[in-house]
Amino acid sequence: MEKICVFPGSFDPVTIGHLDLIERAAGLFDRVVVAVLHNPAKNGRFTVEKRLELLEKACAHVPNVSFDHFEGLLVDYMRSVGACIVLRGLRGVRDFESECQMAQLNRQMAPGVETLFLPTDPAHAHISSSAVREIGLFGGDVTPYVPATISADVARLLSPQPDR
Ligand code: PNS
């Protein structure tokens, strides 16, 4: 039976920290499904379509990864695709508290769903999508924080007057 994990997140946009986790998970599972949360109540900086496009471009070298999006509860999405392992990255103790709570809530709502945590590479512990957005919006250089294949796209899309 195929071993699948779901890596859910906002990916607004994908960072090198996310990419590292996807590559490592791809070595541990037969298939990694990267699932972008589509939250109609909260507008991200990037549309869900653009986030997926950037993810696909950044992960083009990873053969066993696929991409999807979901609305609502993660556990409902897990049931709908028949997957039972959620992968989340931990940058440090600050992530642990909220991630542990989310994993416990998800486990209570769906006892068959397990959350596995991978510690991020220490070199990426300070990187977040929100920091990338802020740096890009104020004209800073985003290239150290996002995958090289998409850094020009991210910089352009975050620039105050993007040339779309
Ligand atoms: O990249 P993020 O923003 O840290 O990802 C958070 C995400 C999308 C994994 C989380 O917010 C989520 O699963 N949202 C869907 C709603 C849900 O199921 N919440 C968990 C119960 S509190």
Side-chain angles (χ1 to χ4, degrees):
M1 202 169 115
E2 215 189 13
K3 272 192 302 171
I4 300 174
C5 80
V6 171
F7 183 30
S10 303
F11 304 104
D12 189 31
V14 58
T15 67
I16 53 169
H18 294 130
L19 179 59
D20 178 58
L21 288 168
I22 292 166
E23 290 169 343
R24 286 157 64 194
L28 298 170
F29 291 89
D30 297 320
R31 189 155 62 92
V32 179
V33 180
V34 178
V36 177
L37 174 67
H38 175 49
N39 184 351
K42 198 178 123 193
N43 276 337
R45 171 72 199 181
F46 296 85
T47 64
V48 171
E49 293 72 26
K50 187 54 77 179
R51 292 181 220 178
L52 286 163
E53 195 184 306
L54 293 171
L55 273 161
E56 285 189 33
K57 199 167 171 184
C59 299
H61 60 292
V62 188
N64 53 334
V65 62
S66 56
F67 306 92
D68 200 0
H69 58 90
F70 71 103
E71 260 184 53
L73 289 178
L74 176 61
V75 289
D76 290 336
Y77 173 75
M78 297 297 288
R79 284 193 197 102
S80 74
V81 295
C84 56
I85 298 179
V86 173
L87 177 85
R88 293 285 290 167
L90 289 179
R91 286 168 298 188
V93 287
R94 274 199 305 171
D95 278 350
F96 179 77
E97 230 176 280
S98 56
E99 291 296 333
C100 193
Q101 183 193 25
M102 193 163 71
Q104 287 164 336
L105 287 165
N106 284 339
R107 185 167 153 73
Q108 188 167 10
M109 289 187 283
V113 171
E114 294 287 4
T115 300
L116 295 184
F117 296 123
L118 275 183
T120 57
D121 186 305
H124 304 148
H126 59 302
I127 298 174
S128 64
S129 296
S130 57
V132 169
R133 292 195 302 272
E134 191 159 316
I135 291 166
L137 283 169
F138 290 110
D141 180 12
V142 297
T143 53
Y145 314 113
V146 297
T149 48
I150 62 163
S151 61
D153 300 284
V154 173
R156 181 173 48 81
L157 291 162
L158 286 174
S159 67
Q161 270 158 359
D163 168 25
R164 287 170 204 269

